[in-house]
Amino acid sequence: MPESYFTLVKKMSKNLKLYFTASFFAYLGLGAGNVLVNLYLVEKGFSADVVGMYQSIKLFTTGLLALPAGMVCNKMGFKWSLKQGLFFIGTGILILVFFDHQLFVYLSSFVWGLGLSVFAVSAPPFIQENAEPRQRQQAFSINFAVMMLSQMMGNLISGRLVEFLPYETLFSYRITLGLFTSFTLVGILFLTGIKETIKPFNFSLQGQLKGIINLATKNNYVPKLLTCHILIGVGAGLIVPLLNVFLKENVGATIGQIGTIMSISQTTTAFAALMAPFIVLRLGKIKGISLLRLSSIPFLLAIALLQNVYVVGVAVFIRSSLMNMTHPVESELSMGLVEKEERAPLSALLKTMDSVGRAFSVLLGGYLMSNIGYTIPYYLTCIIYVFATILFYKWFNHIEKDKSQLTQNLQM
């Protein structure tokens, strides 16, 4: 039975507390960036195609650099990698703030994606290593909740701040993005307090690549995890990066309303993630993930079909909660299916599949929204999510039927 979160936080290692604090500040800036950057580019006069390209470059960079990031993480340690990740994220957003040429827009996307890659790849194995085995599921849920709540605050406050500032709209965007980016950089200060012992080993690029290939081919679970991740990534890329554009252009939401919708969505998702360990305790990890994902589909259709901004907002809250509350469960499950030294490479592979899938599909999503209609990507995502969920259940349901095997894998 999972213990209470209050008790868990009291027992938590100092390293995890410092990481969660750093993550909170980091995602304040990311939350502001996620809600404002697309609208900021549109305000500058760029089309939805350019916005889609911006998101695609960021996602491609995140995915393609995930494997090198995993190698660097193994050599340099989690602390160094997490700090560099936040530095590049902040730098990427600041490039967008201070430069207007389209070339710098794409450079910003690349640097931002580089930072996300390093930070995202380092986080899961860091949590797995610094949490006690019986606390890991809840530790991943806390991590996800901190991310969501922090992004919520960034979304809500930044959207309202743009409307509140008594300046020309574009300048208000610049001030707000610059302010919230400073919060992301503040996160580096907390990471410096992490205590870490890096075990020396002979780093060989050839050896690292061979290890990754072996992981992807010799562990029966890994190719199936990667397939599910790329499908979910493709579906998410069609709609998630351009949600704010969809709400503005198709539903008629204001900047403040978009910020509010996205912030409430992340708040409900955060609390839902905290409930995930208790749900999967009753249903099981595989069945719980599958049922929650399928339950999100009707609300995804509602977003596409309805026009009232308030009703659509509620659908966004519920869909996001049901779909995304499964992430910490799947992350803990994935990290537990491989050996300790394989966790960073697996994290990198999963991030690569997710990001590359999103990178391709966000281009398609931007094209479809610009040339055919804003709702088509949502219908495609429904089909992809259903297919991915069926595959996930078919491939992994047998794991929980063998309780001894599951316990052994999760406690490696």
Side-chain angles (χ1 to χ4, degrees):
M1 178 71 182
E3 58 188 316
S4 73
Y5 281 103
F6 179 76
T7 303
L8 177 61
V9 171
K10 288 177 64 178
K11 295 180 179 178
M12 189 183 297
S13 69
K14 183 180 179 181
N15 277 0
L16 278 180
K17 292 177 181 178
L18 287 169
Y19 166 75
F20 289 145
T21 306
S23 182
F24 174 81
F25 280 96
Y27 281 94
L28 278 176
L30 281 170
N34 288 337
V35 76
L36 294 183
V37 163
N38 289 355
L39 302 176
Y40 175 55
L41 292 173
V42 171
E43 187 68 26
K44 281 186 171 185
F46 294 111
S47 67
D49 287 340
V50 173
V51 176
M53 178 62 74
Y54 180 89
Q55 294 293 339
S56 181
I57 291 173
K58 183 175 71 173
L59 290 166
F60 250 122
T61 304
T62 303
L64 294 178
L65 295 183
L67 289 176
M71 297 178 191
V72 171
C73 180
N74 270 342
K75 179 171 178 59
M76 302 301 295
F78 300 119
K79 176 180 176 178
W80 185 90
S81 301
L82 291 167
K83 287 165 63 178
Q84 300 308 309
L86 293 191
F87 172 77
F88 284 114
I89 290 170
T91 301
I93 301 176
L94 289 178
I95 290 172
L96 196 65
V97 170
F98 289 108
F99 300 96
D100 293 323
H101 193 278
Q102 189 167 327
L103 178 63
F104 285 101
V105 169
Y106 294 148
L107 176 62
S108 161
S109 183
F110 173 81
V111 176
W112 190 348
L114 169 62
L116 281 174
S117 181
V118 176
F119 192 78
V121 166
S122 305
F126 174 83
I127 296 169
Q128 187 83 0
E129 187 168 305
N130 285 275
E132 296 295 328
R134 65 188 302 270
Q135 299 173 339
R136 283 173 182 162
Q137 182 61 78
Q138 286 176 283
F140 275 92
S141 294
I142 290 175
N143 177 58
F144 190 77
V146 168
M147 289 166 51
M148 290 293 102
L149 288 171
S150 180
Q151 286 191 81
M152 174 275 294
M153 295 177 64
N155 287 342
L156 180 62
I157 299 172
S158 64
R160 295 299 180 183
L161 185 59
V162 169
E163 294 183 329
F164 175 78
L165 290 173
Y167 305 112
E168 180 263 336
T169 303
L170 199 58
F171 188 60
S172 295
Y173 274 118
R174 294 182 191 274
I175 292 176
T176 304
L177 283 171
L179 173 64
F180 277 85
T181 301
S182 67
F183 291 128
T184 294
L185 297 176
V186 165
I188 297 174
L189 299 178
F190 292 95
L191 293 174
T192 58
I194 289 175
K195 304 296 182 183
E196 180 181 44
T197 301
I198 303 174
K199 296 181 180 180
F201 73 102
N202 295 323
F203 182 85
S204 165
L205 179 59
Q206 182 179 359
Q208 290 287 305
L209 291 175
K210 184 178 178 180
I212 290 171
I213 293 171
N214 287 338
L215 174 63
T217 56
K218 294 185 177 180
N219 186 316
N220 292 330
Y221 296 121
V222 172
K224 296 173 182 178
L225 279 172
L226 298 180
T227 301
C228 292
H229 261 67
I230 197 168
L231 287 172
I232 294 295
V234 168
L238 286 168
I239 59 171
V240 175
L242 300 174
L243 174 61
N244 46 10
V245 176
F246 173 85
L247 292 172
K248 183 175 185 292
E249 302 296 333
N250 190 68
V251 185
T254 66
I255 297 174
Q257 287 174 329
I258 293 170
T260 301
I261 288 172
M262 294 181 72
S263 64
I264 295 177
S265 173
Q266 287 167 333
T267 303
T268 57
T269 302
F271 284 107
L274 292 175
M275 296 300 298
F278 301 93
I279 293 174
V280 300
L281 181 68
R282 295 180 63 86
L283 298 178
K285 295 179 188 292
I286 309 305
K287 186 180 292 185
I289 291 172
S290 302
L291 288 176
L292 289 167
R293 286 178 175 173
L294 289 177
S295 299
S296 73
I297 301 300
F299 300 97
L300 188 58
L301 288 171
I303 296 170
L305 293 172
L306 304 175
Q307 289 291 307
N308 183 282
V309 64
Y310 301 105
V311 178
V312 170
V314 172
V316 169
F317 310 155
I318 301 175
R319 186 215 76 84
S320 178
S321 299
L322 291 172
M323 188 68 189
N324 293 313
M325 70 187 293
T326 64
H327 287 181
V329 180
E330 189 178 8
S331 293
E332 190 269 343
L333 176 67
S334 301
M335 291 296 98
L337 291 174
V338 296
E339 300 288 346
K340 179 179 178 180
E341 62 273 12
E342 296 174 327
R343 288 169 185 163
L346 177 58
S347 178
L349 284 171
L350 293 173
K351 191 63 181 176
T352 297
M353 292 299 101
D354 179 73
S355 297
V356 170
R358 290 176 187 245
F360 279 113
S361 60
V362 72
L363 287 176
L364 177 60
Y367 174 82
L368 292 174
M369 287 186 180
S370 295
N371 297 281
I372 300 179
Y374 284 94
T375 59
I376 297 298
Y378 284 81
Y379 302 136
L380 290 176
T381 297
C382 288
I383 296 171
I384 294 169
Y385 277 178
V386 169
F387 181 60
T389 302
I390 291 172
L391 285 181
F392 179 81
Y393 184 80
K394 179 180 178 181
W395 283 339
F396 293 98
N397 185 48
H398 71 279
I399 296 177
E400 290 185 307
K401 292 180 180 179
D402 186 348
K403 296 294 185 180
S404 61
Q405 179 184 352
L406 179 64
T407 302
Q408 180 181 359
N409 286 332
L410 292 180
Q411 293 184 353
M412 278 184 178

